[in-house]
Amino acid sequence: MKIKKEKWDTLGGVLDGIWLMLEHGASDPDDPFHWPVLGTTSIEGCNLRTVILRKVNMPERILVCYTDARAAKVQEIKNYSQTSWLFYHPTTKIQLRISGQTTLHAHDTYADRQWADTTITSRLNYCASQPPGTPIDKPSSGLPDFLLNKIPTLLETERCRKNFMVIVVHIFSIDWLLLKITGNRRALFEWDKDRLRSTWLVP
Protein backbone atom coordinates (compact mmCIF):
# COMPACT_ATOMS: atom_id res chain seq x y z
CA MET A 1 0.00 0.00 0.00
CA LYS A 2 1.41 3.38 -1.04
CA ILE A 3 0.27 6.71 0.41
CA LYS A 4 1.30 9.90 -1.35
CA LYS A 5 3.89 11.83 0.65
CA GLU A 6 1.88 15.05 0.40
CA LYS A 7 -0.75 13.43 2.60
CA TRP A 8 1.59 14.02 5.53
CA ASP A 9 1.65 17.80 4.97
CA THR A 10 -1.73 18.53 6.60
CA LEU A 11 -3.38 17.28 9.77
CA GLY A 12 -6.40 16.15 7.78
CA GLY A 13 -4.17 14.26 5.37
CA VAL A 14 -2.31 12.60 8.23
CA LEU A 15 -5.53 11.41 9.85
CA ASP A 16 -6.87 10.08 6.54
CA GLY A 17 -3.58 8.25 6.04
CA ILE A 18 -3.74 6.76 9.53
CA TRP A 19 -7.16 5.24 8.88
CA LEU A 20 -6.03 3.86 5.51
CA MET A 21 -3.01 2.20 7.11
CA LEU A 22 -5.06 0.73 9.95
CA GLU A 23 -7.73 -0.63 7.60
CA HIS A 24 -5.05 -2.16 5.38
CA GLY A 25 -3.38 -3.67 8.45
CA ALA A 26 -6.61 -5.33 9.51
CA SER A 27 -7.19 -6.88 6.08
CA ASP A 28 -3.64 -7.89 5.05
CA PRO A 29 -1.87 -10.53 7.20
CA ASP A 30 1.48 -9.52 5.68
CA ASP A 31 1.16 -5.86 6.61
CA PRO A 32 3.20 -4.70 9.65
CA PHE A 33 0.09 -3.01 11.09
CA HIS A 34 -1.56 -6.45 11.26
CA TRP A 35 0.66 -7.22 14.28
CA PRO A 36 0.43 -4.35 16.79
CA VAL A 37 1.50 -4.41 20.43
CA LEU A 38 -1.29 -4.15 23.00
CA GLY A 39 -0.48 -2.67 26.41
CA THR A 40 -2.50 -3.24 29.58
CA THR A 41 -1.99 -2.24 33.21
CA SER A 42 -1.62 -4.59 36.17
CA ILE A 43 -0.53 -4.22 39.79
CA GLU A 44 3.02 -5.04 38.68
CA GLY A 45 3.01 -2.35 35.97
CA CYS A 46 2.57 -2.29 32.19
CA ASN A 47 2.22 -5.57 30.29
CA LEU A 48 2.82 -5.80 26.54
CA ARG A 49 2.06 -8.45 23.96
CA THR A 50 1.69 -8.74 20.19
CA VAL A 51 -1.88 -9.23 19.00
CA ILE A 52 -3.57 -9.47 15.61
CA LEU A 53 -5.59 -6.49 14.44
CA ARG A 54 -8.84 -8.12 13.37
CA LYS A 55 -11.09 -5.20 12.48
CA VAL A 56 -11.13 -1.42 12.19
CA ASN A 57 -14.27 0.72 12.27
CA MET A 58 -13.27 4.24 11.28
CA PRO A 59 -16.64 6.03 11.83
CA GLU A 60 -16.84 4.70 15.40
CA ARG A 61 -13.05 4.82 16.00
CA ILE A 62 -12.92 1.13 16.93
CA LEU A 63 -10.06 -1.39 16.93
CA VAL A 64 -10.74 -5.09 17.49
CA CYS A 65 -8.59 -8.05 18.46
CA TYR A 66 -9.33 -11.45 19.99
CA THR A 67 -8.11 -13.24 23.10
CA ASP A 68 -8.48 -16.39 25.12
CA ALA A 69 -10.93 -15.45 27.88
CA ARG A 70 -8.63 -17.11 30.44
CA ALA A 71 -5.61 -14.92 29.56
CA ALA A 72 -4.18 -12.57 32.22
CA LYS A 73 -4.87 -9.49 30.09
CA VAL A 74 -8.61 -10.06 30.45
CA GLN A 75 -8.54 -9.47 34.21
CA GLU A 76 -6.15 -6.54 33.69
CA ILE A 77 -8.65 -4.90 31.32
CA LYS A 78 -11.49 -5.59 33.75
CA ASN A 79 -9.51 -3.81 36.47
CA TYR A 80 -8.37 -0.90 34.28
CA SER A 81 -10.18 -0.44 30.99
CA GLN A 82 -7.78 2.00 29.32
CA THR A 83 -5.40 0.25 26.94
CA SER A 84 -2.64 1.39 24.59
CA TRP A 85 -1.62 0.10 21.17
CA LEU A 86 1.72 0.46 19.39
CA PHE A 87 1.98 0.16 15.61
CA TYR A 88 5.15 0.53 13.56
CA HIS A 89 5.58 0.28 9.80
CA PRO A 90 9.27 -0.18 8.85
CA THR A 91 8.75 0.75 5.20
CA THR A 92 6.94 4.04 5.72
CA LYS A 93 8.78 4.68 9.03
CA ILE A 94 5.48 5.53 10.71
CA GLN A 95 4.70 4.85 14.36
CA LEU A 96 1.26 5.10 15.95
CA ARG A 97 0.58 5.15 19.68
CA ILE A 98 -3.14 4.73 20.22
CA SER A 99 -5.06 4.88 23.51
CA GLY A 100 -8.68 4.05 24.16
CA GLN A 101 -11.38 2.69 26.44
CA THR A 102 -11.77 -1.06 26.22
CA THR A 103 -14.73 -3.38 26.46
CA LEU A 104 -14.78 -7.17 26.51
CA HIS A 105 -17.31 -9.34 24.68
CA ALA A 106 -17.63 -13.04 25.48
CA HIS A 107 -21.19 -14.32 25.55
CA ASP A 108 -23.13 -11.82 23.47
CA THR A 109 -24.25 -11.44 19.87
CA TYR A 110 -21.19 -9.34 18.99
CA ALA A 111 -18.80 -12.08 20.10
CA ASP A 112 -20.97 -14.67 18.36
CA ARG A 113 -20.61 -12.80 15.06
CA GLN A 114 -16.83 -12.54 15.43
CA TRP A 115 -16.58 -16.24 16.28
CA ALA A 116 -18.59 -17.13 13.20
CA ASP A 117 -16.09 -15.17 11.07
CA THR A 118 -13.03 -17.00 12.40
CA THR A 119 -11.38 -19.78 10.43
CA ILE A 120 -11.21 -23.30 11.80
CA THR A 121 -7.42 -23.12 12.22
CA SER A 122 -7.66 -19.74 14.03
CA ARG A 123 -10.06 -21.30 16.52
CA LEU A 124 -7.24 -23.55 17.73
CA ASN A 125 -5.86 -20.50 19.58
CA TYR A 126 -8.73 -20.85 22.05
CA CYS A 127 -8.68 -24.64 22.44
CA ALA A 128 -5.83 -25.15 24.91
CA SER A 129 -6.76 -27.43 27.78
CA GLN A 130 -5.30 -25.04 30.37
CA PRO A 131 -5.25 -21.22 30.58
CA PRO A 132 -2.48 -19.31 28.77
CA GLY A 133 0.57 -18.91 31.01
CA THR A 134 0.06 -22.18 32.91
CA PRO A 135 3.47 -23.75 33.76
CA ILE A 136 4.14 -27.06 31.96
CA ASP A 137 6.96 -29.63 32.03
CA LYS A 138 7.90 -29.53 28.34
CA PRO A 139 7.20 -27.45 25.20
CA SER A 140 3.62 -27.90 24.06
CA SER A 141 0.83 -26.12 22.20
CA GLY A 142 -1.44 -26.99 25.10
CA LEU A 143 -4.00 -28.49 22.73
CA PRO A 144 -5.88 -31.62 23.82
CA ASP A 145 -4.91 -34.90 22.16
CA PHE A 146 -7.95 -35.03 19.89
CA LEU A 147 -6.86 -31.78 18.20
CA LEU A 148 -3.17 -32.54 17.77
CA ASN A 149 -1.54 -32.86 14.33
CA LYS A 150 -4.68 -32.41 12.28
CA ILE A 151 -7.11 -29.82 10.99
CA PRO A 152 -10.17 -30.09 13.24
CA THR A 153 -13.75 -30.18 12.10
CA LEU A 154 -16.08 -27.25 12.63
CA LEU A 155 -17.97 -29.25 15.25
CA GLU A 156 -14.78 -30.02 17.16
CA THR A 157 -13.85 -26.34 17.37
CA GLU A 158 -17.26 -25.35 18.71
CA ARG A 159 -16.32 -26.69 22.13
CA CYS A 160 -13.65 -23.95 22.24
CA ARG A 161 -16.20 -21.15 21.88
CA LYS A 162 -16.38 -20.73 25.68
CA ASN A 163 -12.74 -19.55 25.70
CA PHE A 164 -13.16 -16.98 22.92
CA MET A 165 -13.35 -13.28 23.78
CA VAL A 166 -13.34 -10.08 21.71
CA ILE A 167 -11.42 -6.98 22.79
CA VAL A 168 -12.95 -3.75 21.48
CA VAL A 169 -11.15 -0.44 21.91
CA HIS A 170 -12.83 2.92 21.39
CA ILE A 171 -10.01 5.28 20.43
CA PHE A 172 -9.66 8.60 22.24
CA SER A 173 -6.13 9.55 21.15
CA ILE A 174 -3.64 8.83 18.35
CA ASP A 175 -0.03 9.99 18.52
CA TRP A 176 1.46 9.83 15.00
CA LEU A 177 5.20 9.93 14.28
CA LEU A 178 6.94 9.96 10.90
CA LEU A 179 10.68 9.29 10.98
CA LYS A 180 12.66 11.18 8.31
CA ILE A 181 16.38 11.74 7.82
CA THR A 182 15.62 15.39 7.02
CA GLY A 183 13.58 15.81 10.22
CA ASN A 184 10.87 13.83 11.97
CA ARG A 185 7.22 14.91 12.08
CA ARG A 186 4.68 14.31 14.80
CA ALA A 187 0.97 15.00 15.31
CA LEU A 188 -1.60 14.32 18.01
CA PHE A 189 -5.31 13.61 17.53
CA GLU A 190 -7.61 13.61 20.57
CA TRP A 191 -11.35 13.10 20.79
CA ASP A 192 -13.70 14.33 23.49
CA LYS A 193 -16.74 12.26 22.58
CA ASP A 194 -17.06 13.16 18.87
CA ARG A 195 -15.19 16.45 19.09
CA LEU A 196 -11.71 16.24 17.55
CA ARG A 197 -8.70 18.26 18.63
CA SER A 198 -5.64 17.90 16.40
CA THR A 199 -2.24 19.57 16.58
CA TRP A 200 1.32 19.25 15.34
CA LEU A 201 3.92 18.35 17.99
CA VAL A 202 7.66 18.67 18.20
CA PRO A 203 8.90 15.08 17.55
Side-chain angles (χ1 to χ4, degrees):
M1 178 192 61
K2 285 190 176 181
I3 298 177
K4 293 181 179 179
K5 291 182 179 180
E6 53 265 31
K7 255 198 177 299
W8 310 132
D9 293 335
T10 67
L11 289 168
V14 169
L15 189 56
D16 287 344
I18 288 171
W19 291 122
L20 284 173
M21 292 184 73
L22 287 172
E23 289 173 340
H24 190 261
S27 62
D28 184 357
D30 294 323
D31 189 87
F33 272 24
H34 194 65
W35 305 89
V37 173
L38 172 65
T40 55
T41 302
S42 69
I43 296 175
E44 291 79 20
C46 179
N47 289 314
L48 305 171
R49 77 284 291 162
T50 301
V51 296
I52 297 176
L53 180 63
R54 300 291 184 175
K55 296 182 186 301
V56 175
N57 184 325
M58 184 187 70
E60 297 183 21
R61 305 194 316 274
I62 294 292
L63 302 179
V64 175
C65 67
Y66 303 153
T67 184
D68 188 307
R70 302 166 294 174
K73 62 179 170 290
V74 171
Q75 188 59 51
E76 292 166 5
I77 292 170
K78 287 180 178 178
N79 292 340
Y80 189 69
S81 61
Q82 181 176 326
T83 57
S84 298
W85 298 61
L86 177 66
F87 295 80
Y88 182 68
H89 199 294
T91 302
T92 61
K93 302 284 194 298
I94 287 175
Q95 172 188 275
L96 298 181
R97 292 188 298 156
I98 298 178
S99 296
Q101 288 298 123
T102 309
T103 56
L104 300 168
H105 298 264
H107 306 293
D108 56 19
T109 55
Y110 186 80
D112 288 341
R113 289 197 303 270
Q114 305 306 309
W115 176 254
D117 287 343
T118 60
T119 64
I120 290 177
T121 51
S122 291
R123 291 182 177 189
L124 290 176
N125 295 316
Y126 316 102
C127 292
S129 300
Q130 296 173 291
T134 299
I136 53 178
D137 295 329
K138 59 183 179 181
S140 171
S141 65
L143 293 173
D145 291 341
F146 76 92
L147 288 177
L148 288 176
N149 303 317
K150 69 168 188 172
I151 297 176
T153 66
L154 188 64
L155 183 61
E156 286 173 328
T157 62
E158 279 302 319
R159 67 180 69 186
C160 310
R161 170 65 182 86
K162 64 182 184 296
N163 300 325
F164 175 76
M165 183 174 280
V166 182
I167 297 174
V168 177
V169 177
H170 186 220
I171 298 170
F172 59 66
S173 73
I174 301 176
D175 189 314
W176 171 88
L177 177 67
L178 171 64
L179 301 177
K180 297 179 64 177
I181 295 177
T182 55
N184 303 332
R185 293 185 185 181
R186 185 179 173 194
L188 178 64
F189 303 89
E190 296 178 301
W191 288 266
D192 181 3
K193 296 182 181 178
D194 289 330
R195 188 171 183 177
L196 171 63
R197 174 181 173 271
S198 55
T199 183
W200 295 108
L201 300 176
V202 175

